[in-house]
Amino acid sequence: MRARSIRGAGATATAAAIAVAASACSAPGDGGSDAKDSAVVGIAYEPETLSPLLGYGKDGNSKIFDGLLTHDADMKLKPALAAALPKVADDAKTYTYKLRKGVKFSDGKPFSAKDVVFTYETILDKKTNNASKTELDAVKSVEAKGDDTVVFHLKYPYAPFAERTVLPIAPEHVAGKQDVNTGTFTTKPVGTGPYKLVKWSKGEKLTFKANPDYWGGAPKVKNFTMAIIKDDDIRATRLDAGELDGAILPPNLAKKYKSDSGRNTYAAKTFDYRVVTLPTGNKVAGDTDIRRALDVGVDRKAMVDSILYGEGKEAYGPVPTDSPWFTKGTERTFDAAKAKKILDDAGWKPGKDGIREKDGVQAEFPLWYLSGDKLRQDHALAYASDAKKIGIKVEVQSGTWEVIQPRMPKDAVLAGGGSPADPDFDQYTLLKSSLAGDGFNNMAHYDNPKVDKALEEARKSGDHAKRQAAYDTIQRELVKNPGYTFLTHIDHLYVVDKKFGDLSTQVEPHDHGLASGPWWNVEDWQPKK
Amino acid sequence: MARLVARRALFAVPVLLLVTFGVFAIAAASPFDPVKAYAGTAGLTASQENLDQLRANLGVDRPLTARWWDWLTSALTGDFGDSSTLRQPVADAIGERIGWSVLLAATAFVVAILLGTALGVLAARRPGGWLDRAVTSLAYTLEAAPPFWLGLLAVWFFALKLGVLPSGGLTDTASSTVTAGQVASHLVLPAGVLAVSQLPWFVLYVRQGVGDALGDDPVRGARARGLAERTVLLGHALRSGMLPVLTLIGSRVPELITGALLVETVFSWPGIAAATVQAATSVDFPLLAALTVLATAAVLLGNLVADLLYGLADPRVGFDG
C-alpha cells in the first residue's frame, strides 16, 4: 500500500515534469514567429503619434501610408502615389504630380488629389502642432487640378523639393473630421500603404496586417509586429528567448550574433554623424587656427575602432565619405605633429601645464553633451583627450538640451544629425549664416560668405553638375575654416532571423524611424518556404 | 464607520487641490521645456518661428495659476484635457493603460500579503529556529534588492535559462488579440517580481506581530486551557498579530506604485508607467496632473482601507478615533 502510493506520487511528479518540459519547449515558440508569414521585430523607440499630419513618417517609408514619391534601396526617388516623377517648371518653382489611378485607402474609399491638398495644407496650418513643418517652408500653395493632378507652387526655387514629397498622405474623409492634434486618427490611422494597423498597445507593441488590396501587390509577410522595448539589454534578451525575429542593437550587443548560424547581422550605412560645434562666438573655438589644428589633431580612426567597434566610418563633413556627393581629397588624416605646427605658427605657445596661450588667452573651451547619451559621452571624452595632446584644454560637461541650448553661442556641443535624402537638408540649416542661433539651426554660428553663396546656388539649381560643384566648394571651405569638427558616421546595427532570406538596408538618417533597418521593405520580403 | 469615510472624503478635497497645484508649480519651475519635449528630434531642425508657434498652440506660455485653474475647472466637468506627449485626450490615454497597471499591482499586492502572512506565521512559530532565520535573512536581502534588478534576474532565469515563461509584453509578441490565458501567463513574472519586492515588509511585520502575540496573556491562557496549537496560532495570535500589518497595507501603496513603474519598464507591460515618466520629463501638465490625482487618491484610499480593516479586526479601536 505504502509502496504503491509512493510510486503513484512518482508517476504524478514525472507527468508534471513532462508537462513543464513540454510547455518549456512550446511557450516561447507561441510567439507566432514560427509561421513564415509573420515577422516580429524589436525596436527602441515608440512614436508619439501615427498621424502624418503631426510628423509621423515624414521621411517616407511609413508602412501604413504612402507618399507621392518614395525611395528605393539606393535612396533614389521613385513614384508611389504619383504615377511618375514630378514635372518641374518655372526654374524649380512649380512641381506638378500626376496621381496613380485606382488607389484606395484601406477603408475602401478612393484616394484623390484632394487628399494630397488636405495633407499639405493641414501640416502648414498654424494651428497644427507639427514640429517639422519648417521642412515645407518653400511651399507657397498646393492646388488640385481635377482628381488626378496636384500642383505645388513654391516661394523660391528649391531643387530638392521632390525629396520632401515622400511624406505620407492622410485621408481627408477621416482625418478632416476631427481635431488634428489629438483626434483618434493620431492612434488609429488609415492610409494607402502595404500594411494596416491592427492594434497599437502603447508601451508594448504595434501590430500590423498586410493590406490585401495594396496597389503595389499584397505583401507575403501577412502579420508584422513591432515590439517596443526601450532597454537594449532586454531587447537582446527577448531576441535570445525566441520572442523576436529581429531587433536593432547597439554595437557591443550586436557583436555576439555575428557568428550565430540562425541569424544575419546587418550594418546599415547612415548619414548619422557625431560632430563637435566650434562656436564662432568663442575666442578659442572661433579661432580658425585652433579649428584647423583640431581638425587634423583628432584621431577619428581610433574613435571608430574603440567607440563604434568598427561599425562606422570617419567623418569629415555631413556628407559621408562613400556618398557620391563627397568631395574626394578633403579627407583629413590624423597628424598630431601637423596640428602642433599649425598652433605654433599661429602663435599659440605652450604655457603652464602644457596648455597653449596667445595674447593672454588660454586655449580652452567647454564641450557639452546630452546627459545619458553614452555614445556622445564617449565621443566627447575622446575628443577632449586628443585635444589635450596638442595643448588645447576641452572641458567635457553634460546637461539636458534646456541647459545646453542657451550656451550654444559660446560653448562647444557634441551634436548629432544627418539626412541622406539631399545634401541641402543638412547643410543649409547647419552652415547658413542667416540661420545662426535660429532654434537648433547653425549651432556653431558658422559664418562664411563663400559657403553661404554656394548653399544658395546648390538649392536653386536643378542641374546636378552645378549642385555638385557648389557642394564641392562647401566641403573645401570646411577644410580651410572648419566651424565644426566632424568625427564619425555611425552604422545602425540589426539582427534578423535567416528564414527571411538575405535582406537589404537603406542608407539611414540620424533619426531611427519605425521602418528603418532591414524591415524598410518588409512588404517585399520573400520568406523561405 | 460612515462618519470616518465621510470625514476622510472631505479631507481628501483640499489635499488633492494642493497636490495638483504643487504638480503644476514644480513642473513650471523645472528646467524642462514642454515645447522641446513635444517637438522631439524634429525640434532640432525646427526654426524658431515654428517653435514659437508650437508654444502658443500648446498654451504653455501662460502663467502657472491660469493653467492650473483652467485644468481644474474643466477637470471638474469631466474633461481632463489633452496630453501633449501622447497626442490624445488624457482620459483616453489613462483609460487604455490604467486597467493593466491595476491588474498588475493588485495581483502583486494580494500575493505579497498572502505569502508574507504565511511566511511570517511560520517564522514566528519557532523564533530563532532555522526556518525563522532563513525567512528573516531572505526578507532582509530582498528588502535591499531593487525591483528593476529583480526583474532582470527573473527574465534571465525564467525566460532565458528555463524558457518556461514569456519575458515581456501583455500577450505573445506576435499576437494581436488579448486573451485571458495569455495575459495570465504574461502576468506571472511581473506580478511575481513586484510581489517579491513587497514581500519583506509583510513577512517581518507579521513575524513580529505574531511573535509578540504568542507571548501575550490571552494566548498563554488559551494554551493553558489545552487548545490545539493550530487554533492558538491562527485563532488568537494571528488575529492580534495582524493589526500592525493592516496599517502597513495602507502605507505600502506609494511604494507599490513606484515599484510598478520600474517593473512595467522591464517587462514592457503596457501600464501607465511609461506615460508617467514621459509626462514628468516632458512637462505634460494635463497628463501629469491627472496621474498625480490618481496616485494621491490611491494613497488616501489605501490609508482609509487600512483604518477600516483595523477597526473591524479589533473592536476596541473605534472608527472615530
Side-chain angles (χ1 to χ4, degrees):
Chain A
M1 195 63 193
R2 174 160 274 260
R4 230 168 83 193
S5 71
I6 289 175
R7 260 206 310 277
T12 317
T14 314
I18 290 170
V20 168
S23 68
C25 297
S26 64
D30 286 348
S33 49
D34 288 345
K36 298 278 187 276
D37 61 354
S38 293
V40 183
V41 300
I43 56 173
Y45 297 92
E46 180 165 37
E48 284 88 10
T49 171
L50 292 177
S51 168
L53 303 170
L54 298 180
Y56 167 67
K58 69 185 175 63
D59 298 315
N61 206 2
S62 68
K63 297 292 160 249
I64 311 168
F65 296 96
D66 292 303
L68 290 172
L69 305 180
T70 189
H71 292 122
D72 65 10
D74 302 322
M75 290 301 286
K76 289 228 164 55
L77 284 174
K78 64 174 189 183
L81 288 179
L85 293 179
K87 286 206 175 61
V88 187
D90 298 343
D91 194 22
K93 276 178 79 178
T94 309
Y95 282 69
T96 307
Y97 291 78
K98 274 270 181 226
L99 303 186
R100 192 179 290 274
K101 288 204 169 65
V103 176
K104 288 195 163 89
F105 285 102
S106 59
D107 63 354
K109 296 269 170 33
F111 154 80
S112 84
K114 68 176 178 39
D115 297 305
V116 180
V117 174
F118 163 76
T119 300
Y120 282 86
E121 284 185 343
T122 309
I123 291 175
L124 289 168
D125 188 341
K126 278 197 187 323
K127 295 235 159 49
T128 303
N129 295 339
N130 182 323
S132 334
K133 71 174 79 182
T134 317
E135 296 184 352
L136 294 178
D137 194 41
V139 178
K140 187 167 77 183
S141 64
V142 197
E143 178 191 5
K145 283 193 173 159
D147 275 349
D148 65 346
T149 308
V150 176
V151 186
F152 291 86
H153 300 282
L154 304 188
K155 292 178 203 155
Y156 46 83
Y158 191 48
F161 178 70
E163 289 283 355
R164 293 297 190 206
T165 57
V166 298
L167 83 81
I169 302 301
E172 183 177 20
H173 67 272
V174 181
K177 288 187 182 135
Q178 41 179 273
D179 183 334
V180 59
N181 294 321
T182 57
T184 52
F185 185 69
T186 61
T187 50
K188 296 187 177 65
V190 176
T192 56
Y195 285 90
K196 296 194 269 193
L197 181 79
V198 179
K199 193 160 184 279
W200 180 7
S201 171
K202 287 208 177 163
E204 191 198 1
K205 64 188 171 191
L206 294 137
T207 342
F208 302 94
K209 207 178 187 56
N211 176 1
D213 306 319
Y214 183 51
W215 57 267
K220 287 257 193 328
V221 173
K222 301 284 178 222
N223 299 294
F224 183 53
T225 306
M226 291 173 165
I228 297 142
I229 307 157
K230 296 200 168 118
D231 189 275
D232 294 330
D233 293 299
I234 297 173
R235 213 174 316 114
T237 305
R238 290 183 66 181
L239 191 67
D240 284 339
E243 290 174 34
L244 303 175
D245 295 316
I248 179 165
L249 290 174
N252 57 341
L253 291 175
K255 236 181 356 190
K256 72 167 183 179
Y257 296 98
K258 286 245 164 89
S259 50
D260 188 327
S261 62
R263 297 185 177 95
N264 281 329
T265 309
Y266 299 93
K269 297 288 159 210
T270 73
F271 270 51
D272 187 3
Y273 58 72
R274 292 295 175 274
V275 66
V276 174
T277 68
L278 298 171
T280 305
N282 185 300
K283 268 189 189 152
V284 178
D287 183 280
T288 310
D289 299 306
I290 294 274
R291 291 173 169 188
R292 283 177 53 228
L294 285 169
D295 211 22
V296 294
V298 293
D299 191 350
R300 297 174 171 89
K301 181 80 175 54
M303 292 185 195
V304 171
D305 291 342
S306 63
I307 301 175
L308 305 179
Y309 298 88
E311 308 287 0
K313 52 191 169 291
E314 296 109 279
Y316 305 102
V319 184
T321 44
D322 52 4
S323 160
W325 293 102
F326 182 73
T327 309
K328 293 266 180 296
T330 58
E331 296 92 343
R332 274 79 96 189
T333 38
F334 168 58
D335 190 345
K338 188 175 165 192
K340 284 180 189 156
K341 185 163 185 311
I342 293 173
L343 293 171
D344 286 338
D345 292 351
W348 287 98
K349 299 287 179 217
K352 60 175 185 336
D353 309 334
I355 306 302
R356 291 167 187 270
E357 278 179 12
K358 184 182 178 181
D359 307 332
V361 179
Q362 285 256 334
E364 60 179 335
F365 60 88
L367 170 61
W368 290 85
Y369 71 89
L370 187 62
S371 44
D373 190 327
K374 175 87 171 36
L375 205 56
R376 292 184 190 208
Q377 181 185 12
D378 290 347
H379 276 92
L381 292 174
Y383 188 80
S385 144
D386 286 347
K388 191 159 186 232
K389 287 178 197 151
I390 56 171
I392 299 169
K393 190 174 164 194
V394 175
E395 258 176 280
V396 176
Q397 285 171 294
S398 75
T400 63
W401 284 122
E402 283 78 8
V403 176
I404 297 171
Q405 198 189 8
R407 298 168 200 264
M408 285 186 329
K410 294 260 184 217
D411 294 3
V413 180
L414 202 296
S419 172
D422 192 279
D424 178 79
F425 295 173
D426 274 331
Q427 301 189 28
Y428 196 85
T429 51
L430 196 66
L431 300 170
K432 183 80 175 149
S433 62
S434 60
L435 292 180
D438 175 33
F440 282 83
N441 291 329
N442 193 353
M443 288 166 78
H445 291 238
Y446 188 68
D447 188 353
N448 184 336
K450 276 189 196 157
V451 169
D452 279 347
K453 189 163 159 282
L455 284 169
E456 286 300 337
E457 277 168 17
R459 71 162 25 183
K460 276 179 185 147
S461 173
D463 180 45
H464 192 275
K466 270 191 198 159
R467 298 193 76 201
Q468 180 81 62
Y471 286 117
D472 285 347
T473 308
I474 293 169
Q475 290 175 68
R476 293 207 180 92
E477 279 302 311
L478 281 180
V479 180
K480 289 183 210 154
N481 183 10
Y484 299 79
T485 315
F486 286 86
L487 303 176
T488 57
H489 277 104
I490 293 161
D491 291 351
H492 297 161
L493 299 180
Y494 302 87
V495 176
V496 185
D497 199 297
K498 279 197 174 142
K499 71 184 171 203
F500 297 109
D502 283 328
L503 308 173
S504 62
T505 54
Q506 279 181 312
V507 178
E508 297 184 356
H510 172 59
D511 283 339
H512 290 258
L514 281 189
S516 296
W519 41 91
W520 74 276
N521 64 345
V522 60
E523 63 271 23
D524 298 333
W525 285 11
Q526 307 288 338
K528 288 182 186 159
K529 286 283 170 286
Chain B
M1 191 166 168
R3 275 178 60 194
L4 175 73
V5 176
R7 213 175 50 221
R8 288 293 183 82
L10 220 61
F11 170 71
V13 174
V15 171
L16 286 174
L17 278 180
L18 214 65
V19 167
T20 55
F21 187 77
V23 168
F24 272 77
I26 291 169
S30 84
F32 296 112
D33 181 353
V35 175
K36 281 203 192 69
Y38 183 92
T41 42
L44 300 182
T45 52
S47 67
Q48 197 58 49
E49 185 194 352
N50 192 355
L51 292 175
D52 291 345
Q53 185 66 51
L54 266 181
R55 192 173 294 279
N57 285 2
L58 294 174
V60 289
D61 47 355
R62 298 169 53 230
L64 156 74
T65 43
R67 269 180 297 174
W68 177 68
W69 185 249
D70 281 358
W71 176 83
L72 192 68
T73 45
S74 52
L76 287 176
T77 66
D79 173 13
F80 290 90
D82 297 319
S83 158
S84 62
T85 44
L86 303 169
R87 274 78 159 165
Q88 67 183 141
V90 167
D92 292 1
I94 293 179
E96 278 172 15
R97 297 159 190 255
I98 188 117
W100 301 124
S101 285
V102 169
L103 176 68
L104 173 66
T107 312
F109 212 39
V110 170
V111 171
I113 293 174
L114 294 181
L115 200 63
T117 309
L119 286 175
V121 170
L122 286 178
R125 269 178 69 188
R126 304 250 183 287
W130 67 269
L131 190 68
D132 179 35
R133 275 180 304 177
V135 167
T136 317
S137 49
L138 180 73
Y140 282 123
T141 314
L142 286 177
E143 207 170 12
F148 190 81
W149 182 81
L150 286 175
L152 286 175
L153 200 68
V155 168
W156 174 78
F157 189 69
F158 290 102
L160 215 58
K161 287 288 150 197
L162 299 183
V164 288
L165 287 167
S167 61
L170 181 65
T171 55
D172 289 341
T173 322
S175 148
S176 58
T177 50
V178 180
T179 61
Q182 284 202 358
V183 173
S185 70
H186 282 74
L187 182 63
V188 176
L189 278 189
V193 167
L194 192 54
V196 162
S197 74
Q198 295 297 312
L199 196 60
W201 283 270
F202 292 104
V203 171
L204 296 173
Y205 266 69
V206 170
R207 177 187 166 275
Q208 190 66 42
V210 173
D212 289 352
L214 281 173
D216 282 353
D217 286 344
V219 175
R220 296 223 311 267
R223 274 210 176 122
R225 274 181 281 132
L227 290 177
E229 181 65 22
R230 195 186 164 84
T231 321
V232 172
L233 197 64
L234 300 181
H236 294 79
L238 182 60
R239 187 170 173 136
S240 56
M242 276 301 278
L243 288 178
V245 178
L246 295 179
T247 325
L248 185 68
I249 290 179
S251 67
R252 293 312 303 166
V253 170
E255 185 94 6
L256 187 70
I257 294 173
T258 48
L261 297 190
L262 295 171
V263 170
E264 284 183 12
T265 314
V266 175
F267 292 96
S268 306
W269 188 259
I272 46 174
T276 308
V277 176
Q278 217 176 347
T281 55
S282 316
V283 206
D284 184 349
F285 289 103
L287 185 57
L288 197 58
L291 287 171
T292 316
V293 167
L294 275 176
T296 315
V299 172
L300 292 175
L301 209 64
N303 285 331
L304 177 62
V305 168
D307 288 353
L308 289 177
L309 286 176
Y310 205 95
L312 288 175
D314 188 350
R316 286 171 303 174
V317 182
F319 284 117
D320 296 320

